[in-house]
Amino acid sequence: MLHSRTRWIVRQTQEEKVQQLAKELDVAPLVASLLINRGMDTAESARYFLLDKEQKFHDPFLMSDMEIAVSRIKEAIEKQEPILIFGDYDADGVTSTSLMMMALRELGANVQFYIPNRFTEGYGPNIPAFTHAAETGIRLIITVDTGISAVNEAKAAKDLGMDLIITDHHEPGPVLPEALAIVHPKHPGSNYPFQELAGVGVAFKLAHALFGEMPAHLLEIAAIGTIADLVSLKGENRLIAKRGIQKLKSTKNIGLTALFKVAGAELPSITEETIGFSIAPRLNAVGRLESADPAVDLLLTDDLLEAQTIAEEIELLNKDRQAIVNNIAQQAILEVESKFPISENSVIVVGKEDWNAGVIGIVASKLVEKFYRPAIVLSYDLEKGQAKGSARSIEGFDLFKNLSECRDILPHFGGHPMAAGMTLAIDSVDELRRKLNTLANEQLTEEDFIPVTSVDGVFSLKDISLSSIEEMQLLSPFGMGNPKPKILINDANIAGMRKIGSEKNHIKVTIEDEGSSLEGVGFGLGHLYEHISPYSKLSVIGELSINEWNNIKKPQIFLQDMAVRTWQLFDIRSVKRLERLQSVIPEDNTIWIFFRDENVSKFRTYAGQKMVKIHSIEDASSIEVDGSNLVLADLPPTKELMVKLISGKRPARIYAHFFKEDSDYFSTLPTRDHFKWFFALLAKKGSIDIKRYGNDIAKHKGWSRETVDFMSQVFFELDFVKIENGVISLNNTSNKRDLADSKTYQLKQAQYILESDLLYSSFQQLKDSFDEILQGAVKFEEAKEEKWT
């Protein structure tokens, strides 16, 4: 048995529906199943989802205060009033700022931008920045990707004689700012049909309203921010992302081209993964470590040399960011394990003075990944007595809702159910930890702390082909709300398995079933190699892709988790060097079984802590082995002992070693003819000095000397002969007896059969034997008697 790392939540679909949709759309059943699982269960809804040409953007004026915002901006453009775009320092904020700057410049506005410094100003609008803007003549401020919580700052702007237009997408609080206009899809007074826009999506809608038509040339910028901010890629977000990616493949933006170049990305092959894993982290890195201004400058520049210079600076900053994250993550993990263990904490809250506030959100994500607990990572400013934090959550624990319950100690916070940011007094950190743990203990069950993997369905290998995988790409771009499909393949045979990579920390598996096969690669899963018996039925989940090598394409699966549902047999009978056992047998949950006391000392250095000696049927029957890994270290004296040990029980794994110093298997077990010939020899000779002539007899017949001694002892026990001083002679008064009446013969025969069954059987024979025993189906039968006189 091999338990999966996560809980697999598998979606179920009706086969009849799948076949019907596949036929109507002329797509593979695999694709039809994925569409149904995403809510597109009719041909009409599926076509609408797949064919974005039929989709249209929503009317931007359905959004709250849009007419007021457009009117005021157009007035400012006409009067050439200086306008300030007030943005945020993450990738969504950077693209929102850049998009609004592009739109307003194109419309002829006198516009500039301002992004607060993460370290000196913190998140969101602030009064000193607004005051400075007023002093420089600004009369209209437009926030992008921020502002919905700026109640005090909005009042300050009004007092300073400036109009404030807020465009944002973060969760609105109970009190909204008193701004001239709040353009927000979740505004209580909004009728906008799609509420999941990113900050750049809201900015894009404002640009749409200002231009009077959808600004297709700005889609590439909107797509980057939308994908980077991990909003749901459904509805209008899907339209922005899908059309934006197509624009990016032929972008004329000098800054983006330079950024793609340093990231090693080819324009024609750009996907949502290019943005999510290459571009977004680089745009984020700037504001995480320094001022975010260069990221905006890069997207706005028309100067090739400036673009190359900024892109190279961003690349260096991203490498610095990676190193800083790794360092802080190591410290944070140590902090959790030494001070706030997860056995006592349902929510992780850790912080230190020297932790870079720009990367603590990434560190929080790493803590969630490692410990699967909601995590808050804080950076302390001891001079101000203040802590800035970033939080990430798990399914079932709404961060924004629960942080709202702690408003009394959180003067500033905002975010979503799964991510949030905050500022609080260092003195309040312990209280925050206590409150959140209390809330989590009320809301979460033990099962909630087991990571969940949502799986799109169970598929057979015959469902997977190059064409079905290519059709699956019609569902892209993948992301939040439309995740890259994960499939489950159940109980496949293992055709091949090996570790790969310079450090052998990855695994390559080939699975097969009913004539179909599929190669899989599991990055970081190399440690599972020793936990999978090559003859087991393997269940895997992962993402399908096409592997192209030397112009040859074939399907493959990127493995994310694996499981073996039934008990596993690990055949380690060939391992003669005992020190090797440590590398193939897990230490945890393992019981080492010894049938002979003299063998314990031989294994003591290499065996685990739990070693059990079995001397009797009672010993074997009383041992609890359910769910454990069972190591049968040495050969039992009888099969019955082993049967009593495991019959009707449910071990997770059995490691069969069956150590035996000297084997009886390859010494000849005499047949009836052997005994007959030897008896006849004795009758002819009358008596034989076995000590003197035993080797000659063995050599003459091609036996071992042990065989001659064995038959002599059997005859003696049956009272057929007398043995005196090594001389054997017939006993003329002997009666008819069975060979099986001899204790020596019984033991030899039983040992021969035992070794044949356990030591020298094939893997499949041994597995079948164990299966029969585990099912409690073994019955002992007396050996058939051989009559001999």
Side-chain angles (χ1 to χ4, degrees), residues 193-337:
F194 185 72
Q195 296 193 344
E196 304 301 322
L197 291 169
V200 72
V202 181
F204 180 79
K205 298 309 297 185
L206 178 55
H208 185 170
L210 286 167
F211 281 108
E213 60 182 4
M214 189 274 292
H217 60 296
L218 299 178
L219 278 169
E220 60 185 22
I221 304 297
I224 293 172
T226 296
I227 294 168
D229 210 48
L230 302 179
V231 291
S232 171
L233 289 190
K234 289 183 175 180
E236 203 162 28
N237 284 340
R238 173 176 169 81
L239 204 53
I240 290 171
K242 191 169 185 179
R243 294 190 184 178
I245 289 171
Q246 291 305 312
K247 292 285 185 182
L248 282 168
K249 291 182 178 183
S250 57
T251 184
K252 298 297 188 291
N253 185 292
I254 293 173
L256 280 176
T257 304
L259 192 59
F260 281 124
K261 185 176 181 180
V262 297
E266 300 286 339
L267 289 182
S269 59
I270 287 172
T271 67
E272 67 276 15
E273 291 186 349
T274 313
I275 297 169
F277 297 114
S278 294
I279 302 307
R282 286 168 169 81
L283 292 178
N284 275 320
V286 188
R288 290 188 187 282
L289 302 186
E290 297 179 358
S291 164
D293 287 9
V296 178
D297 293 336
L298 176 68
L299 299 182
L300 296 180
T301 187
D302 291 325
D303 186 297
L304 180 60
L305 182 60
E306 182 185 23
Q308 292 171 344
T309 302
I310 296 175
E312 289 167 3
E313 289 174 358
I314 288 176
E315 183 66 12
L316 291 174
L317 282 172
N318 189 48
K319 290 178 179 176
D320 288 345
R321 188 268 307 167
Q322 291 171 331
I324 292 168
V325 166
N326 290 336
N327 182 40
I328 296 176
Q330 290 175 6
Q331 294 181 50
I333 289 168
L334 184 62
E335 193 86 353
V336 173
E337 293 175 339

Side-chain angles (χ1 to χ4, degrees), residues 345-349 373-376 397 433 436-437 440 444 449:
N345 290 269
S346 298
V347 178
I348 294 169
V349 181
R373 295 287 188 279
I376 297 177
F397 191 74
R433 183 183 296 110
L436 288 176
N437 270 287
L444 300 174
F449 294 118

Side-chain angles (χ1 to χ4, degrees), residues 689-708:
D689 187 343
I690 292 297
K691 286 184 179 179
R692 184 175 179 182
Y693 297 108
N695 289 334
D696 293 336
I697 295 170
K699 184 177 181 181
H700 174 73
K701 293 298 290 182
W703 299 338
S704 67
R705 171 59 188 267
E706 183 187 359
T707 301
V708 175

